[in-house]
Amino acid sequence: MDEEARLATPGLSISFPSRSRMSYGTIRDSRMGGDHNAKDYSDRGVSDEAGSPEHTDTESAVNVQKYDYDESRKIGITGATFLILNKMIGTGIFSTPSSIFAATGSVGVSLFLWVIGGVLTFCGLSVWLEFGLAIPRSGGEKNYLERIYRRPRYLATCVLASQMILLGFSSGNALAFGRYVLAASGTGIGDGWAARGIGVAATTFAVGLHAIFPKWGIRLVNILGIFKVVILIFIVFSGFAALAGHLRIPQPNNFHNAFELEVTEDYGGTGVYGYANALLNIIYSYKGWENANYVIGELKHPRKTLSIAAPLAIGGVTILYVLANVAYFAAIPKKDLATSEVLVAALFFKNIFGDSAGARSLPVFVALSNLGNVLAVSFAHARLNQEFGKEALLPFSRFWASIKPFGAPAPALFLHWIVTVIVLLAPPAGPAYNFIVNLYTYPGSWINGFVCGGLIYLQWKKSENWTSPWHTYLPITVVYLLANIFLAVTPFIPPNGAWDADGYPYYVFPVVGVGVLLLGAVYWICWTKIWPAIGGYKIVATRIIDEQGVEAIRYRKVKNQ
């Protein structure tokens, strides 16, 4: 005989079914990091249940949406590895070495920063593995922040939603795709409207493919993932050839006094701000290591898949990144590298293979790599947008959470497309790539810092009953926390040179980044206080997991009392 206890309070709907129909909350007690996980949804006004209980007088059913992904579409170890590779290997390694050397003015320091970037990425991976294997649900840090910061209710989710929706775009990769396509055609146009228009077309293609033909979207991600690795290996071996003297230009001899800090008109002398900016660009190049955490719900055997795929992808990428930078310094003079902006790889090919038509076509391969990154980013961030919709966090939540009509989160993909296109087209004519990169990367330092601080708290506070199949040792978490504090604070320190050397004041991207996070707090006030008071009710999402493990979300209008 089923027995249910129902709690009905403003904005809260929870049911406790009998053991014959095990609830997701019960599953979460053993799988999601301890007893306190079972309270997460009650704290946030989102409940889990396994049955279809009667509605209370204060509730009315709005709709039920099911999210039952076919087993053939779930992602295995190979697919997860390439999903991570595709987001990590994008525009960064082919474009950011220019700005990194320009900031440091030292070959040795630049290479050392790339190694530091790899070490920090592994530290971050350890933290995310501990959370991801304890809370095996799609959404990434959304779930982790909700587990840590349960008071004030919804605040952490709203802040993250603001960052992920407004700044989780593919604009930097799309713009670089346009630049490399134009470079291959022999057009020397910078970050103008032609490159941006091509970027819009690439984003539209990626979003449309994932929305209409989701299986083919994943297949193309895997194919381009292999292609990216081949391109990087080609660059590495070409660099070895350059070191042996096979160049169409005089030897640059960049490794002589490699750790000398040079200051010229084109590079060096930027101070602490420049080093922070360089490290942000490196973090951007490594970004994507957390990609599989966003789609854990679509992984086969999530714990096994994630614990194998993520370290494998990150280890391989770190080695390739360092060797690729050695190749660039072997073939490109310092001044040319510092002023090459996005087209580092294009200049590299020109110096080794000449200016023939065949050599000019090589940037097409880099452009395809950038396209793969656009595909991977749009796939992952759309799933996170969908999670926000599932939990009634967004206006018109049922629409954003829908997987109709092709079994893919088309509305959430469309939301990602809107933001990406706006960020591509909004900046004035002129250099925009570095600004877009910094704007994309910077707010993540704040989010990562709060996640690290939260993990330290969970491990220290015994009453939290935190458990996970993976354990991150305290020094690793502290190193990653301190790195993110450095990246969050130092961009506010004025550079040694001109304040607007990049075409915009140095403080624009940190101010905008912090402003977007604060906008999430403002939205929280509106969503939890103002709108319910005006409308007299709010939509509450109830997450249901049936006996077959199929997830559904029930939306209800709950009247304020």
Side-chain angles (χ1 to χ4, degrees):
M1 179 176 179
D2 290 345
E3 296 177 358
E4 289 186 348
R6 172 168 295 283
L7 172 64
T9 58
L12 180 62
S13 173
I14 306 176
S15 68
F16 302 92
S18 69
R19 291 188 179 183
S20 63
R21 297 182 302 180
M22 182 175 288
S23 71
Y24 193 60
T26 306
I27 296 173
R28 200 169 52 249
D29 182 64
S30 62
R31 293 176 56 193
M32 296 180 64
D35 294 339
H36 280 269
N37 285 293
K39 299 178 182 178
D40 285 352
Y41 282 102
S42 62
D43 285 339
R44 295 187 287 111
V46 181
S47 71
D48 295 326
E49 61 182 40
S52 299
E54 299 292 332
H55 306 306
T56 67
D57 293 338
T58 59
E59 299 175 353
S60 62
V62 177
N63 200 354
V64 176
Q65 296 204 35
K66 292 188 177 181
Y67 303 93
D68 183 15
Y69 293 101
D70 185 86
E71 192 67 24
S72 65
R73 279 183 49 199
K74 289 197 173 182
I75 304 168
I77 294 174
T78 301
T81 301
F82 283 115
L83 188 64
I84 297 170
L85 282 173
N86 245 320
K87 193 177 178 187
M88 289 185 73
I89 305 176
T91 63
I93 188 59
F94 304 116
S95 304
T96 58
S98 170
S99 61
I100 293 162
F101 174 71
T104 63
S106 168
V107 174
V109 172
S110 296
L111 292 174
F112 186 63
L113 285 178
W114 281 96
V115 174
I116 291 177
V119 172
L120 292 177
T121 300
F122 271 106
C123 292
L125 171 65
S126 184
V127 173
W128 258 245
L129 278 176
E130 177 156 350
F131 276 111
L133 297 183
I135 311 174
R137 275 185 43 214
S138 296
E141 51 264 45
K142 169 187 173 294
N143 300 319
Y144 317 152
L145 291 171
E146 288 172 349
R147 172 61 178 87
I148 302 163
Y149 304 103
R150 297 189 295 277
R151 291 287 188 272
R153 283 187 289 176
Y154 313 106
L155 178 58
T157 308
C158 287
V159 171
L160 180 67
S162 180
Q163 186 239 341
M164 286 296 183
I165 292 174
L166 298 180
L167 299 180
F169 44 72
S170 305
S171 306
N173 303 301
L175 177 60
F177 174 80
R179 288 290 303 271
Y180 272 98
V181 168
L182 291 174
S185 68
T187 305
I189 301 175
D191 294 348
W193 299 116
R196 300 184 194 193
I198 296 172
V200 170
T203 304
T204 303
F205 167 77
V207 167
L209 183 65
H210 283 314
I212 300 173
F213 305 106
K215 288 185 180 180
W216 282 102
I218 290 297
R219 288 169 184 166
L220 187 56
V221 165
N222 291 342
I223 292 171
L224 291 178
I226 298 172
F227 187 77
K228 288 181 178 188
V229 174
V230 171
I231 289 293
L232 267 183
I233 292 174
F234 179 70
I235 288 176
V236 168
F237 279 97
S238 298
F240 292 154
L243 288 172
H246 298 284
L247 282 169
R248 297 300 180 95
I249 62 170
Q251 281 282 354
N253 296 318
N254 288 334
F255 296 103
H256 180 68
N257 294 329
F259 283 91
E260 179 184 0
L261 298 176
E262 300 182 53
V263 179
T264 70
E265 181 183 354
D266 299 305
Y267 54 86
T270 55
V272 176
Y273 173 85
Y275 279 83
N277 209 5
L279 193 55
L280 273 175
N281 284 333
I282 289 174
I283 296 299
Y284 172 78
S285 300
Y286 279 101
K287 197 156 180 62
W289 53 267
E290 73 280 56
N291 212 23
N293 287 65
Y294 293 146
V295 295
I296 285 182
E298 296 181 47
L299 299 181
K300 296 177 182 176
H301 313 295
R303 292 174 179 173
K304 176 182 177 182
T305 299
L306 191 61
S307 60
I308 295 176
L312 182 63
I314 294 172
V317 167
T318 301
I319 294 171
L320 288 174
Y321 276 8
V322 173
L323 293 178
N325 275 274
V326 171
Y328 292 146
F329 284 118
I332 305 175
K334 294 177 181 178
K335 180 178 180 179
D336 293 346
L337 179 64
T339 57
S340 62
E341 296 183 358
V342 179
L343 302 177
V344 176
L347 182 59
F348 172 81
F349 290 138
K350 179 180 178 181
N351 288 355
I352 291 182
F353 300 104
D355 199 24
S356 64
R360 286 200 304 269
S361 68
L362 290 174
V364 172
F365 300 124
V366 180
L368 288 174
S369 173
N370 295 336
L371 178 61
N373 194 267
V374 174
L375 284 161
V377 172
S378 58
F379 178 86
H381 279 282
R383 266 61 184 179
L384 191 55
N385 293 344
Q386 183 190 32
E387 285 296 313
F388 292 132
K390 284 182 181 180
E391 299 193 359
L393 183 65
L394 305 177
F396 312 106
S397 287
R398 287 186 293 118
F399 172 72
W400 300 118
S402 174
I403 58 173
K404 297 178 180 178
F406 301 107
L413 284 161
F414 178 63
L415 179 59
H416 178 80
W417 180 88
I418 292 173
V419 175
T420 297
V421 170
I422 290 175
V423 175
L424 261 177
L425 302 181
Y433 180 77
N434 286 339
F435 173 75
I436 291 174
V437 166
N438 291 332
L439 187 60
Y440 177 84
T441 310
Y442 174 76
S445 301
W446 289 86
I447 299 297
N448 294 346
F450 279 108
V451 172
C452 289
L455 180 59
I456 294 173
Y457 169 78
L458 291 177
Q459 292 178 339
W460 172 75
K461 192 76 171 178
K462 300 302 182 184
S463 61
E464 288 286 342
N465 295 320
W466 173 253
T467 59
S468 173
W470 183 277
H471 178 72
T472 300
Y473 292 100
L474 181 62
I476 295 175
T477 309
V478 169
V479 166
Y480 196 57
L481 173 62
L482 293 177
N484 281 287
I485 291 175
F486 172 80
L487 293 174
V489 173
T490 50
F492 287 99
I493 301 175
N496 291 345
W499 283 21
D500 58 352
D502 292 322
Y504 53 87
Y506 76 93
Y507 52 79
V508 169
F509 77 82
V511 168
V512 172
V514 172
V516 167
L517 298 178
L518 293 177
L519 183 62
V522 173
Y523 181 81
W524 172 77
I525 295 173
C526 296
W527 187 58
T528 61
K529 309 296 181 183
I530 299 176
W531 294 339
I534 295 174
Y537 69 88
K538 58 183 175 180
I539 300 294
V540 173
T542 304
R543 187 182 299 267
I544 307 162
I545 304 293
D546 67 12
E547 291 85 348
Q548 287 74 41
V550 177
E551 177 186 6
I553 306 295
R554 175 177 287 110
Y555 297 92
R556 292 171 178 159
K557 291 181 179 179
V558 179
K559 296 180 181 178
N560 293 329
Q561 295 180 342

